[in-house]
């Protein structure tokens, strides 16, 4: 019962992390304009994402513009795009593998060793996805904080942490937690006697002799 609850919890964490990874990839709020001047009234808010820039005017009008030239983008932004796209695809694959693993684990328990392979692959995929999400999100957050406290950077160019970064960090934590759950379940299944000796069963340890004859037990030879 505890193992089923662990698998279901890992599946929920992985599903939420998958959706969060997709949302963080699409959201333009990676870098948000910092309002550190004495002026209280702010007319425009600038959002910078992986795919577009957006300008919000007084929270009423929103204008977004996609990056036109891929070659004109910074190499770091191109790398972050690639990492997030790979993370989205890998999270979908891991989620599907987790569904298959949970489904066959609940239906069939005769060969846990072969069933747990789906769980192991899903766990490793979730862990890799969490690491892939952490790299661009943490790198962007570190560069924003460094530029914010750098006196050489002009005030209009300073940015703050956007909502997409927080979504990315939360998604990475959920994905890593889901991967840890599935890997721990695989380790538990590998240590169980049934998975170590899948060919042994109570019928082989205790077989009837002839028809209507007494049963012969393995303990008789000890």
């Amino acid at each position: 019962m505890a193992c089923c609850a662990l698998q279901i919890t890992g599946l929920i964490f992985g599903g939420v992390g998958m959706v969060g990874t997709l949302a963080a990839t699409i959201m333009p709020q990676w870098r948000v304009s910092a309002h550190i001047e004495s002026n209280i009234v702010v007319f425009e808010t600038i959002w910078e994402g992986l795919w577009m820039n957006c300008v919000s005017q007084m929270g009423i009008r929103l204008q977004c513009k996609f990056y036109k030239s891929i070659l004109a983008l910074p190499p770091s932004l191109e790398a972050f795009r690639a990492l997030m796209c790979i993370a989205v695809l890998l999270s979908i694959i891991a989620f599907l593998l987790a569904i298959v693993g949970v489904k066959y684990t609940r239906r069939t328990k005769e060969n846990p060793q072969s069933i747990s392979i789906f769980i192991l692959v899903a766990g490793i995929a979730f862990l890799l996805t969490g690491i892939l999400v952490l790299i661009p999100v943490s790198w962007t957050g570190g560069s924003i904080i460094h530029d914010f406290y750098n006196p050489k950077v002009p005030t209009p160019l300073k940015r703050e942490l956007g909502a997409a970064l927080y979504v990315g960090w939360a998604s990475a934590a959920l994905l890593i937690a889901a991967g840890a759950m599935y890997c721990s379940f695989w380790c538990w299944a590998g240590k169980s006697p049934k998975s170590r000796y899948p060919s042994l069963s109570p019928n082989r340890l205790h077989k009837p002799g002839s028809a209507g004859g007494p049963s012969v037990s393995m303990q008789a030879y000890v």
Side-chain angles (χ1 to χ4, degrees):
M1 189 68 180
C3 298
C4 293
L6 185 65
Q7 293 181 58
I8 297 298
T9 304
L11 187 63
I12 295 174
F13 282 8
V16 176
M18 176 188 65
V19 175
T21 302
L22 180 60
T25 305
I26 299 175
M27 291 173 63
Q29 295 97 333
W30 281 62
R31 297 172 178 265
V32 181
S33 57
H35 306 294
I36 55 179
E37 297 179 351
S38 59
N39 188 10
I40 300 177
V41 180
V42 178
F43 293 96
E44 290 185 351
T45 301
I46 301 175
W47 299 340
E48 298 177 2
L50 297 178
W51 312 96
M52 67 183 78
N53 285 338
C54 295
V55 178
S56 176
Q57 298 177 352
M58 297 293 294
I60 301 175
R61 186 178 179 183
L62 181 64
Q63 293 180 345
C64 296
K65 184 179 180 181
F66 287 93
Y67 301 127
K68 293 183 178 180
S69 177
I70 299 178
L71 299 177
L73 296 176
S76 59
L77 185 58
E78 295 180 1
F80 294 162
R81 279 183 172 186
L83 288 176
M84 292 303 293
C85 290
I86 295 173
V88 170
L89 294 176
L90 193 58
S91 64
I92 295 174
I93 295 173
F95 186 71
L96 294 177
L97 287 173
I99 292 176
V100 173
V102 172
K103 180 179 179 181
Y104 280 95
T105 301
R106 294 182 65 182
R107 285 190 176 184
T108 308
K109 296 182 179 181
E110 294 180 357
N111 193 357
Q113 190 173 15
S114 61
I115 294 172
S116 62
I117 296 219
F118 291 101
I119 300 296
L120 175 63
V121 176
I124 294 175
F126 277 133
L127 289 175
L128 291 177
T129 305
I131 295 173
L132 289 177
V133 174
L134 273 180
I135 293 174
V137 171
S138 300
W139 193 291
T140 302
S143 64
I144 291 173
I145 295 174
H146 179 268
D147 293 340
F148 187 86
Y149 292 105
N150 189 0
K152 297 181 180 180
V153 177
T155 302
L157 298 180
K158 292 185 177 182
R159 297 291 183 263
E160 292 182 353
L161 302 176
L165 299 181
Y166 296 104
V167 173
W169 279 318
S171 302
L174 291 175
L175 291 169
I176 292 175
M181 289 180 185
Y182 282 119
C183 290
S184 62
F185 173 78
W186 179 83
C187 293
W188 174 85
K191 291 180 180 179
S192 63
K194 199 171 184 180
S195 62
R196 285 183 181 179
Y197 308 102
S199 60
L200 294 180
S201 62
N203 294 331
R204 294 195 176 187
L205 294 178
H206 188 78
K207 288 186 177 181
S210 58
S215 60
V216 181
S217 176
M218 293 291 294
Q219 298 179 354
Y221 297 96
V222 179

